Amino acid sequence: MTATGTAAILTIGNELVSGDVPNTNAAWLARRLAPLGVDVRLTAAVPDEIEAIADFVRAEAPRVDFLLVTGGLGGTPDDLSREAIAAAFGAPQEEVAEIAADLRARFTRDPEYAVRWAHLPRGSRPLANPLGGAPGFTLENVYVLPGLPSEMEAMFAAIEEEFRRGTPIGAWRQIYQTYESVIAAILTETGERWPGVLVGSYPSFSAGGSTVEVVLKSSDPDALAAASAWLASAIEESGRG
């Protein structure tokens, strides 16, 4: 599958690494990036540790067009994303006066607590948080978004055109009442006939029997249409669906 842009997604939080909270942000972002023509090459979660976050950013940011980071932007002791990104780039944190003034005006009950959110790594560009307080920011190709899904989604929606890289990555999905082993040869032949199409199969088992969701993806719409039509026909003709 040919993509015109690449991305990695890093989600931050002890609660994600431990499994206490489902990591929904990575999946949501990956689904939103594909129609923009961006292929997600890696997703990861790391704990609330400055060095763990900084090490990941140093290693992975140069390998992709975009590195999206979610989480760690609040004001509690485990919110360390600003410090970690600053460490990754060797940049000091500086108070952004305009953001600080806005936060003081909005959070009058405890303005000095909120104003800490305005200390961003030098050289970064603030990103407005439509549904919350702490702003996101971008530095070089790293985009740092909130961890709360509603805030993260709203912030991404406001900037998503920045990620557009040409042809969208389209997807075709179909669920069949069968086993992977039964249709494996057809899946393999699909990939061989259309090497620019990514072929995936995801089995499920329940009291009602076994099903397989077949997913094809490609940034070439003609190849995707041809491959999905051939695969569907081949499964139907074989009586294996």
Side-chain angles (χ1 to χ4, degrees), residues 20 63 84 89 93-94 127 135 140 144 153 157 179 196 202 207-208 212 219 222 228 241:
D20 290 334
R63 299 177 180 174
F89 285 95
Q93 289 180 261
E94 298 177 336
L127 300 174
E140 296 189 9
V144 185
E153 293 169 11
Y179 294 91
Y202 311 103
V212 179
S219 57
D222 293 335
S228 58

Side-chain angles (χ1 to χ4, degrees), residues 128-177:
N129 188 340
L131 299 182
F137 62 93
T138 178
L139 182 57
E140 296 189 9
N141 68 329
V142 178
Y143 286 72
V144 185
L145 313 176
L148 188 65
S150 60
E151 293 185 16
M152 183 275 295
E153 293 169 11
M155 187 178 292
F156 181 86
I159 61 171
E160 65 180 326
E161 285 304 315
E162 296 186 22
F163 301 98
R164 189 173 296 281
R165 288 295 182 271
T167 306
I169 300 170
W172 176 91
R173 302 170 185 271
Q174 183 64 46
I175 296 176
Y176 294 97
Q177 191 85 28

Side-chain angles (χ1 to χ4, degrees), residues 207-220:
S210 170
T211 62
V212 179
E213 182 182 26
V214 178
V215 180
L216 306 185
K217 293 185 177 183
S218 180
S219 57
D220 182 339

Side-chain angles (χ1 to χ4, degrees), residues 6-92:
T6 58
I9 299 171
L10 174 64
T11 52
I12 296 172
N14 295 335
E15 72 281 8
L16 300 174
V17 176
S18 66
D20 290 334
V21 173
N23 189 355
T24 59
N25 283 353
W28 189 91
L29 285 168
R31 290 194 298 269
R32 289 294 291 262
L33 287 166
L36 299 172
V38 179
D39 183 24
V40 175
R41 308 300 298 168
L42 173 69
T43 64
V46 298
D48 299 300
E49 299 172 4
I50 289 177
E51 279 308 309
I53 301 166
D55 286 347
F56 185 94
V57 171
R58 292 188 195 104
E60 300 302 330
R63 299 177 180 174
V64 291
D65 296 313
F66 308 107
L67 171 58
L68 289 85
V69 180
T70 76
L73 288 179
T76 56
D78 60 352
D79 290 317
L80 301 170
S81 293
R82 287 178 292 271
E83 292 85 348
I85 301 302
F89 285 95

